[in-house]
Amino acid sequence: MSALAFSIVALLLVGPVPAILARASWPLRAPRAAVVLWQSIALAAVLSAFSAGIAIASRLFVPGPDGRPTATIISEIDALGWPLWLLYVVVLALTLLIGARLMIAVVQVAIATRRRRAHHRMVVDLVGKPHRSSGLRVLDVDQPLAYCLPGVRSRVVVSEGTLTTLSDREVAAILTHERAHLRARHDLVLEMFTAVHAAFPRFVRSASALDAVKLLIELLADDAAVRATGPTPLARALVACAAGRPPSGALAAGGPTTLLRVRRLGGRGNSLALAASAYTAAAAVLVVPTVALAVPWLTELHRLFFV
């Protein structure tokens, strides 16, 4: 039952749970805690999938006639029967596949993202004008545009249209927003969710987690800008830069979620109660399934190999 329970938990955390959470409105008032909750859900999904595989592997070593774990495929089939043995093998293979896909996805996402950023950073350094602010490049573009390129050699990029169209406080708000992304390394959070999304098979995974986290990290950067300049300059800057199209791998101030973010700036502020509840839920998502489901098959492993 432990293997079945782990499998059910993994499927719930990959599909229905992210879909339900993505439709909730409360994360807008507790973005940092919501990101932690999303991270806990993703980690719990991966751990549950691996735990299901380990639990199934332990069942393949069922006790033989002498009470010792079976050691050959024939003895395993004799003890379990063909249907159950085949089911265990398929689920174990699927678990190993997810693990391999996760490791490959982490490497692929990291390499591809850094390659794109390095190329665009080189282009920006060549065609952009340096600004008196460290790490800032200005592009000769009339349309208001602002984005950042994270990494060891990070850059904040703005257009001439941003500097000429926006007021000083609005420019300060947009720069604070982008530098908040760089300081908190929000790009690493996105890479993790992108890799997890790619690791699970298409028929069970959902894009809800990745889309929701993209919005939440923008809200975190918005909050940093609000603390520096207030909500009004940031709202005006976001609207001005909404139509800008950043390169792949960059984190931009504008985008399709601009309207939602501007409305949030005029609504109620962040809630400590919601944040506390989200942190509690994040801890429960990791701790409760582990304690409730891991103990039975750990006990079985101990009985098989140490008793």
Side-chain angles (χ1 to χ4, degrees):
M1 290 302 297
S2 294
L4 178 61
F6 273 122
S7 300
I8 292 174
V9 169
L11 291 175
L12 288 175
L13 293 177
V14 170
V17 171
I20 294 172
L21 182 56
R23 291 195 295 268
S25 59
W26 67 262
L28 300 179
R29 300 188 59 205
R32 190 177 306 278
V35 170
V36 173
L37 178 57
W38 276 113
Q39 290 175 316
S40 296
I41 291 172
L43 181 58
V46 172
L47 292 177
S48 295
F50 285 139
S51 297
I54 295 174
I56 292 229
S58 71
R59 299 308 301 166
L60 291 174
F61 293 92
V62 295
D66 58 355
R68 298 175 61 83
T70 55
T72 66
I73 294 178
I74 299 301
S75 58
E76 291 170 3
I77 295 175
D78 290 339
L80 295 171
W82 268 103
L84 191 57
W85 179 85
L86 187 60
L87 176 63
Y88 283 172
V89 170
V90 169
V91 175
L92 178 59
L94 183 61
T95 303
L96 296 176
L97 175 63
I98 292 174
R101 284 168 60 97
L102 179 60
M103 290 185 288
I104 294 172
V106 168
V107 175
Q108 287 180 334
V109 169
I111 293 176
T113 301
R114 282 156 180 78
R115 183 176 297 165
R116 287 194 300 267
R117 288 174 184 161
H119 174 74
H120 191 77
R121 187 183 300 114
M122 178 186 66
V123 173
V124 165
D125 288 345
L126 287 174
V127 304
K129 295 182 294 185
H131 194 266
R132 60 179 178 273
S133 298
S134 176
L136 182 63
R137 292 293 186 274
V138 181
L139 300 180
D140 188 15
V141 177
D142 293 334
Q143 182 185 33
L145 175 68
Y147 60 88
C148 66
L149 296 169
V152 177
R153 297 170 55 226
S154 60
R155 296 287 187 274
V156 174
V157 183
V158 297
S159 64
E160 287 283 0
T162 300
L163 300 179
T164 57
T165 304
L166 276 60
S167 67
D168 290 343
R169 287 181 61 82
E170 291 165 1
V171 171
I174 214 71
L175 293 180
T176 302
H177 173 101
E178 297 303 335
R179 286 167 177 156
H181 282 316
L182 299 178
R183 183 172 58 253
R185 291 310 306 266
H186 289 155
D187 57 302
L188 298 181
V189 178
L190 284 180
E191 283 186 19
M192 184 198 79
F193 279 93
T194 302
V196 171
H197 176 74
F200 281 87
R202 291 186 179 182
F203 64 90
V204 298
R205 72 188 182 193
S206 168
S208 301
L210 184 57
D211 294 339
V213 171
K214 287 180 180 178
L215 171 61
L216 290 172
I217 64 172
E218 292 300 331
L219 301 185
L220 290 175
D222 288 346
D223 289 343
V226 168
R227 290 192 294 269
T229 64
T232 302
L234 175 62
R236 291 174 177 170
L238 291 178
V239 171
C241 297
R245 298 183 61 181
S248 178
L251 298 175
T257 61
T258 298
L259 180 59
L260 176 61
R261 290 158 56 196
V262 171
R263 288 178 175 173
R264 172 180 177 264
L265 294 175
R268 293 182 294 176
N270 291 341
S271 169
L272 291 177
L274 288 174
S277 299
Y279 285 127
T280 302
V285 164
L286 286 177
V287 174
V288 173
T290 301
V291 173
L293 301 178
V295 170
W297 66 260
L298 287 175
T299 303
E300 181 68 11
L301 284 178
H302 182 271
R303 183 184 68 81
L304 287 173
F305 294 103
F306 299 104
V307 176

